[in-house]
Amino acid sequence: MTSVETSARRWLRCYRPRPAATVRLVCFPHATGSAPFYRSWARELPDDVEVLAVQYPGRLDRIAEPALTAMPVLADMVTDVLAPRRDLPVALFGHSMGAAVAYEVARRLERRHAAPLAHLFVSGRPAPCHHRPGSKHLGPDDDLWDELRRLGGTDPAALENPQLRSALLPTLRADYRLIESYRPVDAEPLATPISALVGDVDTEAAVDEVAAWAGYTRAAFDLTVFDGDHFYLVPHRTKVLAGVIRSLGLT
């Protein structure tokens, strides 16, 4: 196995290979999230779409690796892994912190290949011009747990388990440091079409802040507002996937 293949196995999870796929959808988890968040997507999307879920360091089978705390480092490493996998058109989907990572990777892949991606989906994330730095990663542990509890998306039982909390804390603090210290550059709009998705009562991403992603592409843009909070995409998974299929031109 080559070093490139070894690196891809560390970073990407393919829960259901699709030999007949015509597009790869690379999915980026939220802060403290991991690749299995998208496991059901690999099963429910049609054979045209092969789902690759990004597994960041510092969680599950990569728990022994320190989580990354700088967006440029993370985006560069994922870009290096994806760059050789352009034998099929590549689309990116990211939720919350994952949307910011996906955008940074899209910028790098466009620049490296001088060509647009098939699509960029940004979910539950304000456009870069509305990014809000923060300092929660510097605060007490209990404040970070309260924040995670407030956002939802994490099993409440896990948040009350001392062993799990101890294992998760370094990753939680590192992910918050990464996104809170992120400083988007004033870049040229992408040539890749963008679809933005958001819940109508998401306290982390107001609809008008998400709509501002329109200014980050020279190609097509659309905005879909669901009823729900920051993790609207869990109860609305079927509708989200239908939108992904439609945007990829597979209907």
Side-chain angles (χ1 to χ4, degrees):
M1 185 179 296
T2 68
S3 60
V4 172
E5 291 170 332
T6 300
S7 183
R9 283 176 177 268
R10 287 172 57 228
W11 282 93
L12 303 173
R13 299 291 177 272
C14 183
Y15 295 111
R16 188 169 183 178
R18 301 286 182 131
T22 58
V23 61
R24 287 198 176 95
L25 179 67
V26 182
C27 298
F28 294 75
H30 51 281
T32 72
S34 54
F37 183 76
Y38 294 105
R39 184 191 296 269
S40 63
W41 291 31
R43 184 177 62 252
E44 296 176 28
L45 283 166
D47 289 345
D48 311 72
V49 185
E50 184 171 77
V51 173
L52 299 178
V54 176
Q55 183 74 300
Y56 306 132
R59 58 211 79 200
L60 298 182
D61 56 335
R62 301 190 68 184
I63 191 70
E65 303 175 53
L68 298 175
T69 58
M71 178 68 80
V73 176
L74 176 58
D76 284 348
M77 296 180 81
V78 178
T79 300
D80 287 343
V81 169
L82 292 179
R85 305 180 76 85
R86 298 294 299 274
D87 53 316
L88 290 178
V90 169
L92 310 181
F93 185 106
H95 177 65
S96 194
M97 181 187 86
V101 183
Y103 167 66
E104 290 295 334
V105 171
R107 288 183 51 237
R108 286 160 170 77
L109 286 174
E110 270 203 5
R111 188 167 61 238
R112 185 174 298 195
H113 296 279
L117 302 176
H119 213 91
L120 171 64
F121 299 91
V122 286
S123 166
R125 185 82 208 161
C129 60
H130 292 292
H131 173 67
R132 295 183 288 274
S135 58
K136 294 185 181 72
H137 66 282
L138 299 174
D141 295 351
D142 285 344
D143 288 358
L144 286 171
W145 293 120
D146 288 345
E147 181 69 5
L148 208 59
R149 194 175 290 107
R150 181 183 68 82
L151 292 176
T154 303
D155 182 355
L159 296 177
E160 302 304 325
N161 184 304
Q163 286 76 28
L164 283 176
R165 283 168 62 110
S166 177
L168 287 173
L169 184 61
T171 299
L172 172 62
R173 192 174 292 282
D175 283 358
Y176 267 82
R177 180 178 175 185
L178 183 143
I179 197 62
E180 290 184 334
S181 63
Y182 171 46
R183 299 293 184 271
V185 300
D186 188 14
E188 289 291 319
L190 298 172
T192 298
I194 294 178
S195 293
L197 308 88
V198 65
D200 61 351
V201 292
D202 186 344
T203 57
E204 304 306 296
V207 172
D208 61 332
E209 294 176 331
V210 177
W213 279 104
Y216 289 81
T217 178
R218 307 192 300 276
F221 173 81
D222 62 85
L223 170 71
T224 304
V225 181
F226 296 84
D227 61 291
D229 57 19
H230 193 54
F231 282 93
Y232 76 90
L233 74 171
V234 175
H236 287 299
R237 184 178 67 247
T238 300
K239 291 180 181 177
V240 170
L241 295 184
V244 168
I245 293 169
R246 189 165 52 249
S247 295
L248 293 176
L250 299 176
T251 56

